[in-house]
Amino acid sequence: QVQLVESGGGSVQVGGSLRLSCAASGYTFSSRNWMAWFRKAPGKEREAVAAINTGTDNPMYVDSVKGRFIISLERANNILHLQMNSLKPEDTAMYYCAASTMLVHTWFQDVFYNYWGQGTQVTVTS
């Protein structure tokens, strides 16, 4: 049974940084599998933020976070991280960790992820 537990959210001022973590139990890192961070702001659709192939560490980012966010794996502890720098008010959202054990055709589409965490809130204040 795969379980994903996020942590690290909070409130930060514009320009600040936060590091989100997602502890993945019962999940195997391999080149077949991808993990990702999605976010959902009030009144908006859930959107992909970043994803990483758990075998090759190949990262992918949505344009709005490129150069500011870094997705990474802590293999020894089966943890997914998202380092968020230069935060903007538009980054305010509930952030969700997701994991896939199916073939991922497009990393940014949530239909390809079959396991989800409960979410952690990120609030950026000006």
Side-chain angles (χ1 to χ4, degrees):
Q1 180 77 8
V2 175
Q3 190 171 16
L4 305 175
V5 180
E6 301 102 332
S7 60
S11 182
V12 64
Q13 290 191 324
V14 168
S17 298
L18 281 175
R19 190 191 197 202
L20 305 184
S21 298
C22 172
S25 59
Y27 185 73
T28 301
F29 287 177
S30 77
S31 60
R32 169 188 167 86
N33 292 341
W34 285 76
M35 292 189 77
W37 289 97
F38 285 75
R39 66 186 179 188
K40 187 179 185 315
K44 294 188 176 180
E45 300 263 326
R46 183 167 62 186
E47 65 169 350
V49 175
I52 189 166
N53 182 288
T54 63
T56 66
D57 282 21
N58 180 39
M60 305 296 288
Y61 299 96
V62 68
D63 285 347
S64 61
V65 307
K66 280 181 182 176
R68 300 189 298 123
F69 290 11
I70 301 172
I71 189 170
S72 64
L73 294 170
E74 184 182 328
R75 293 182 176 280
N77 296 306
N78 248 45
I79 297 175
L80 174 73
H81 295 292
L82 184 69
Q83 177 66 43
M84 305 187 295
N85 302 317
S86 302
L87 283 161
K88 304 175 180 181
E90 51 264 42
D91 294 318
T92 295
M94 184 71 81
Y95 282 71
Y96 296 91
C97 171
S100 177
T101 57
M102 63 178 84
L103 185 61
V104 175
H105 291 281
T106 44
W107 67 270
F108 50 86
Q109 288 187 291
D110 57 8
V111 294
F112 292 110
Y113 296 88
N114 46 338
Y115 297 101
W116 292 84
Q118 81 288 352
T120 186
Q121 178 67 37
V122 171
T123 303
V124 184
T125 59
S126 55

